[in-house]
Amino acid sequence: MKLLIVEDSALMRRVLRENFADQDDLEIEFARDGEDALDKLAQFEPDVITLDINMPKMDGLTCLAHIMEIRPCPVIMLSSLTERGAMATFEALELGAVDFVAKPDGTVSVDMSSVMDELKRKIRMATQTRARTRRSMRAGAKPRVSKASAAPAQRTRFPNCAASELLLIGSSTGGPGAVQTILEDIPADFPLPILISQHMPPKFTAAFSHRLNEACAVDVVELSETCPLQPGTVYLAAGGRDVVVRRKLKRLVAETVPSDPKYVWHPSVSRMVDSALDHVEARKLIGVMLTGMGDDGSEEMARIHKEGGATIAESEETAAVFGMPGQLIEKGGATCVLPVQKIAGELLRWTENTIPARRRQCS
């Protein structure tokens, strides 16, 4: 596999070279800045690129835009763990980056050991993704359809969601764009609260929730404390922590809690859905599983489906990584399988006769 590392700091290039020394199957080329990266793009023909954001001559976002124009390939952004770094990262995901890794100590991180396992894993996973922008996905670019994604797409039933109380969404790699695509088509009077676990580090979810709130009709908030769940509001689990559902004084609430090491990914989709099932009948839950590697939440969402609730798995044709939705389908847990741009419409059809939670609690 050919890996192009774009990093302006000589010290960081040396640190990364040392950390990749044990990866015998990687052919690595370094670029000093964005202009150097574009020069090497054609001659080296990388399979994956890691791209720093803050660079002289040509910054990472400008370089990324040129890469997607000249020779699209999977790009992983190396971001600083700051609010400014988070905002730039979401711009990069909008432009077509498939994922990001946050440097632990800012723009120049001598100690990369804490994130190297994550970076190596995401580099190898990136070869399975398709480089594309969210805008092209929404514009209806014709994607490939595999037998794996097409076979389960036939609906076996139209679920009865009139009594639904809560919509749960889980996503990981490629998820920010998918989540925004769905929420942009959800109206402000949506009858259910929406709870989202998106795998993301601390500080990034605040920027993501702000970005979503600006773009969507529904209110979007980062869940940073115990909060009653209101219809027409989206609650994004805080990065690096988990979210659980409780019932207090007959009302559903969401609590942010320290991450539990028994779960691999955080915020954990499995823990979110499992806690919801403890306090809400499965038939009153709707689950949506979006792009991401691994199987976080697949078993629990399959339980929603098997116990009378409704679930949607994002289809392989739009998923950046088909791991999480693919696992839900394999477990027989998907009511239907849809490309991401059709999920909101299906949710609106399912819930058009649903009594809003606020009115239900007052009756």
Side-chain angles (χ1 to χ4, degrees), residues 25-56:
D25 60 337
L26 286 183
E27 181 182 349
I28 300 176
E29 182 75 32
F30 287 86
R32 297 183 304 276
D33 52 49
E35 289 183 358
D36 190 25
L38 295 181
D39 288 340
K40 291 179 176 176
L41 195 60
Q43 63 186 54
F44 183 59
E45 297 184 339
D47 299 303
V48 184
I49 298 172
T50 68
L51 183 58
D52 193 16
I53 290 180
N54 299 303
M55 296 184 295

Side-chain angles (χ1 to χ4, degrees), residues 103-274:
K103 295 178 181 178
D105 304 317
T107 55
V108 177
S109 298
V110 178
D111 182 17
M112 287 287 289
S113 58
S114 61
V115 298
M116 279 309 299
D117 285 346
E118 178 189 5
L119 180 58
K120 290 173 183 176
R121 183 176 64 245
K122 288 186 174 181
I123 285 169
R124 295 186 183 283
M125 175 277 302
T127 60
Q128 304 167 30
T129 69
R130 293 172 296 284
R132 64 173 180 274
T133 65
R134 193 177 66 88
R135 282 189 294 272
S136 69
M137 180 174 65
R138 286 182 62 82
K142 205 149 183 162
R144 66 178 178 89
V145 181
S146 73
K147 292 180 181 177
S149 63
Q154 298 296 321
R155 296 185 186 85
T156 56
R157 62 189 175 98
F158 189 91
N160 180 7
C161 299
S164 295
E165 292 188 33
L166 180 61
L167 169 59
L168 303 164
I169 298 177
S171 66
S172 184
T173 305
V179 167
Q180 186 168 339
T181 294
I182 293 169
L183 295 185
E184 283 179 341
D185 291 334
I186 298 292
D189 61 352
F190 190 70
L192 304 179
I194 302 172
L195 190 55
I196 300 175
S197 280
Q198 161 70 51
H199 298 161
M200 200 169 275
K203 299 186 181 178
F204 280 73
T205 44
F208 186 35
S209 63
H210 176 76
R211 189 178 184 89
L212 290 173
N213 194 54
E214 292 291 311
C216 305
V218 285
D219 291 329
V220 182
V221 297
E222 182 193 38
L223 188 67
S224 56
E225 58 185 7
T226 301
C227 188
L229 294 173
Q230 301 286 348
T233 303
V234 178
Y235 303 87
L236 182 70
R241 295 174 66 82
D242 290 337
V243 61
V244 294
V245 176
R246 309 280 192 218
R247 197 179 285 275
K248 294 184 178 180
L249 300 176
K250 298 184 179 180
R251 298 189 66 183
L252 283 181
V253 301
E255 294 180 1
T256 180
V257 294
S259 58
D260 187 332
K262 92 174 195 181
Y263 300 98
V264 177
W265 309 98
H266 305 285
S268 169
V269 182
S270 289
R271 193 175 183 185
M272 173 185 71
V273 178
D274 203 28

Side-chain angles (χ1 to χ4, degrees), residues 168 170 262-263 265 268-275 277 282 285 287-289 294-307 311 313 323-334:
L168 303 164
K262 92 174 195 181
Y263 300 98
W265 309 98
S268 169
V269 182
S270 289
R271 193 175 183 185
M272 173 185 71
V273 178
D274 203 28
S275 69
L277 283 162
L285 292 172
V288 176
M289 186 67 86
D295 63 354
D296 186 23
S298 62
E299 185 174 335
E300 293 77 12
M301 282 207 187
R303 185 181 152 199
I304 289 177
H305 172 75
K306 289 169 184 174
E307 294 181 11
T311 57
M324 287 162 56
Q327 284 295 309
L328 179 61
I329 294 166
E330 279 193 25
K331 290 178 171 68

